[in-house]
Amino acid sequence: MKNYKLNQISSIVNGTLFGDENVIINQIFFDSRMIVHPANGIFFALNGNQKDGHQYIEDAYQKGIRNFVVHEKLEHFANANFILVNNPLQALQNWAKYHRKQFNLPVIGITGSNGKTIVKEWLNQLLWKNFSIARSPKSYNSQFGAALSILQITEKNNLGIFEAGISLPNEMEKLEEIIQPTIGVLTKIGEAHLENFENQDELIQEKLKLFTHVEKLVFNIENEKVYQAILENEHLSKIDKFSYGYSDFATVKIEHIESSLTNTEISILHNQEKFTYSIPFTDDASIKNSLICLTTLIALNVDYKLIKEEFSLLLPIEMRLEIKEAINHSILINDTFNSDLNSLRIGLNVLNQQPKEKKSLVLTDILQSNLSDKDLYQEAANLVNAYHFDEIVLIGEKITLFKNLFQSYVRSYNSTEEFLEQFKHQNVDNEAILLKGARPFKLEKISSELETRSNDSVLEINLQNLVENINVYRSMLRPTTKLMCMVKANSYGTGSFEVAKTLQNNGVDFLGVAIADEGKELREAGITIPIIIMNPEQSSYSTVIDYQLEPEIYSLRVLKLFIQKLQEKQISSAYPIHLKLETGMNRLGFHEDDFDELVTILKNNSQVYVRSIFTHLATADMPEEEAYAKYQLNRFDKSYESITKALDITPIKHALNSPGIVAYKEHQYDMVRLGIGMYGYSEYTDFMEKYLKPVVRFKTVISQISELEAGETVSYGRRFTAERKTRIATLPVGYADGIRRSLGNGKASVGINGKLAKIVGSICMDMMMVDVTDISCKEGDEVTIFGNSPSIADVARWLETIPYEVLTSVSQRIKRVYYKE
Ligand SMILES: *Cc1c(COP(=O)(O)O)cnc(C)c1O
């Protein structure tokens, strides 16, 4: 921004200056949260929706701002300069009007109900090589957004592109005075915002006020009301008009439009000459917006034939930066749309607001600039150096030449590929990362490495909720009761390592897995706490011993075999084992008539020691079977007593699984074994709803939406027939992903945008279809197979099974993604 002296601003806005006249101002702030480098900044205390801008003065002052435009005198702010005005917004606007008058350049003023920002951005994409453009940042088109935009104009610019947006009658006049457009562009007039206007005619009249002094006007000739209004307008009827449409009177006459799957070819006639261009979009709005752009190029006297190529490269615009969860608890901000200094400034600001101590930046060559490389990268470095970065990655042959300008720790690469070759996931750790780069650098390759949820279909595991659930169970136990967590079957399908690591970090005493190989994997991944193998196969004893896993021993035969293995391996110290007692489950375990021999063997053997004795309840989750549970617990008490007395030992005693903890916590003994509960499910639904949080969500996205007429059918075997006009969404998951085929044909539903959509027709191997006729949704929208709604319990009910089976059935080809909130 251009330099202004404080007294100059004061006289432009007709204010009263208190303080130092000669302070130089070249930055404007209105949101105190956005202040990073306050030097030469002035803060406008603008009134927001409900808030008086004066409320933020304190914060702005704390952040180093010393210059203010206010409507009340400032007291108690040492060394603050302020300009007192009646209305700070009006002052800003007056300053902008004055500023605009200093420059004699073509200014395109864009208004309309839809498409203002996209047309502005596309014009920039088409023209940045030909002009040095000043334009509205983002969608800054309001009463103060337009003023701020205009104040960005500098001597270097030779074209301005600004948008004007209104929501109330009589706003446009002020915007016209601020922007002072010389070329008017009218985009689509829709029904939007009509609520504040009497009717569409009034809306059109209001919009046309932006063009009160333009020399040229660009519009769609097909909108008869607009065309009529223009012809009847005193000023507009006389100026040069540039229109597009099918009419023979159109400057750009549409000859032919043909869309393929991804592109549209548009042929037009201008000055009797045919011209064909292509855009990488197929929707109607994009086609019209491209025609507006083309017509505007003609109004600007730009030879559009020379930039035919640019049309085929037009990019969609992201109005907001994408902020995504990334690996290792990081946050990713993706900004690869624009490649200029202004968007770098915005991106840095957003990054600065992320709640992470550690911040990193990936920055490529900046393409959209007319500055010399030296000036460009010096300015970029100035912006970047205002922040603290733990690491900066520079990518591109140009920017790397200037790496010495950047103050943080810098690594530089000539290409994205070169960077990715050495990229290691482990090096990313709990940080906020800004990816800021030009399209040709394909930073999306980096973002897909960093994103946790790049896959369409994933099983999301919320480790934070897992920990909270564990703490709920812990709170029901005595402080001395040990906690064993069951991570068998890949942690009930959620993936063993991440869950096990979380458990280990949270002070869990034991982990339980089903087979030795699961234990081995955990050891190899760095799990060091005791791991019990619940069902060790004879052939795996070697693995058990080699990886210091602790076997469940459930029979005399198994005990003898295991001791034999220890002897074979010449293990001299006593090896921990866990005795499983049969008390009523009739699955595995020592029976009472085994006890004598069991005691004899253990007495005469120093190769093993009994670390724990346990049993398992058959009906812990069934209140109606309380008597049976009590019978089991009673039998267990007696058995434990008989064995430990005979051996004179006191091993850890345990019996309860998750529902057991809820129902029989007086029998928690020395340890409990928590399984499904930590994943957020309990058969005791009151308890679950009150205390547990869902941990697992199976989600996917809509691949395609089709419109069916009544009578049309869906999927193999035509088992669904549309009874009315029906919208069908196809999802990219099927029975090979663990969605059981029996859920099809109306049996089950999935969640889309807060509503349930019935699965219709037969579920296929990799796909399934759902009825979204009554749900507002589009292709690419997220779909919940299970999670909050439907819940795992709902799916279990539809399948006539239990949540355990639903959880463990999700196919391994579905990526597991972990996050903490
Ligand atoms: C799986 C298992 C548990 C955990 O059961 P939940 O119902 O999931 O809490 C406890 N003990 C044993 C022996 C198990 O096999």
Side-chain angles (χ1 to χ4, degrees), residues 711-724:
E712 291 193 81
T713 62
V714 171
S715 195
Y716 288 118
R718 309 182 61 198
R719 290 183 186 92
F720 173 80
T721 306
E723 281 171 5
R724 52 173 177 163

Side-chain angles (χ1 to χ4, degrees), residues 486 488 492 534 587 614 616 657-659 673-676 804:
M486 305 307 293
K488 60 197 182 199
Y492 290 42
M534 309 309 282
R587 191 167 68 175
F614 70 104
H616 196 44
N657 60 355
S658 313
R673 301 186 305 269
L674 183 60
I676 193 102
Y804 299 72

Side-chain angles (χ1 to χ4, degrees), residues 163-257:
E163 11 173 335
I166 51 166
S167 49
L168 296 168
N170 303 320
E171 287 184 330
M172 194 59 99
E173 249 171 77
K174 278 190 207 150
L175 294 179
E176 196 279 332
E177 289 170 22
I178 295 167
I179 299 172
Q180 298 163 36
T182 59
I183 300 175
V185 172
L186 187 61
T187 64
K188 187 182 154 102
I189 297 270
E191 309 284 309
H193 306 305
L194 212 56
E195 61 268 27
N196 290 323
F197 293 86
E198 287 280 302
N199 51 43
Q200 219 189 9
D201 293 326
E202 195 197 46
L203 181 69
I204 293 170
Q205 289 304 335
E206 181 71 21
K207 302 251 172 196
L208 292 184
K209 285 185 193 157
L210 180 65
F211 309 132
T212 314
H213 299 98
V214 297
E215 294 149 20
K216 300 170 180 179
L217 181 64
V218 176
F219 61 98
N220 174 2
I221 204 167
E222 301 298 326
N223 187 330
E224 280 173 29
K225 276 189 174 168
V226 167
Y227 192 31
Q228 205 55 39
I230 290 169
L231 293 180
E232 285 167 11
N233 183 289
E234 165 82 34
H235 172 69
L236 298 178
S237 61
K238 289 185 246 162
I239 61 163
D240 283 347
K241 285 178 277 297
F242 299 79
S243 62
Y244 75 90
Y246 291 96
S247 154
D248 283 337
F249 300 109
T251 319
V252 169
K253 180 177 182 316
I254 303 168
E255 289 269 290
H256 189 66
I257 296 178

Side-chain angles (χ1 to χ4, degrees), residues 6 17-20 23 25 29 35 38-43 57-69 74 77-83:
L6 208 51
L17 173 63
F18 295 80
D20 186 348
V23 174
I25 299 295
F29 296 101
I35 298 168
N40 305 104
I42 190 163
F43 183 85
I57 287 173
E58 171 86 45
D59 189 36
Y61 184 86
Q62 292 295 341
K63 290 186 168 152
I65 294 286
R66 290 295 174 269
N67 310 299
F68 298 87
V69 175
L74 287 190
F77 289 97
N79 301 321
N81 309 305
F82 62 95
I83 298 172

Side-chain angles (χ1 to χ4, degrees), residues 473 484-488 492 512-514 534 552 580 585 587 614-617 620-621 654-661 672-679 681 804:
Y473 283 94
M484 170 164 169
C485 286
M486 305 307 293
V487 294
K488 60 197 182 199
Y492 290 42
V513 297
M534 309 309 282
E552 163 187 322
K580 169 84 160 285
M585 180 85 162
R587 191 167 68 175
F614 70 104
T615 195
H616 196 44
L617 299 181
D621 55 358
H654 51 118
L656 301 181
N657 60 355
S658 313
I661 300 170
V672 295
R673 301 186 305 269
L674 183 60
I676 193 102
M678 66 180 159
Y679 305 104
Y681 176 78
Y804 299 72

Side-chain angles (χ1 to χ4, degrees), residues 439-483:
R439 285 279 166 161
F441 288 91
K442 297 207 162 49
L443 291 193
E444 59 273 16
K445 287 188 188 163
I446 301 179
S447 75
S448 74
E449 287 287 326
L450 290 171
E451 271 169 42
T452 39
R453 293 194 249 176
S454 56
N455 291 47
D456 286 348
S457 307
V458 296
L459 197 67
E460 296 175 346
I461 292 107
N462 186 326
L463 295 173
Q464 183 74 32
N465 286 357
L466 179 93
V467 169
E468 288 179 27
N469 290 340
I470 288 171
N471 290 337
V472 167
Y473 283 94
R474 269 198 174 126
S475 71
M476 299 161 72
L477 302 173
R478 288 188 301 267
T480 48
T481 305
K482 289 185 173 12
L483 181 62

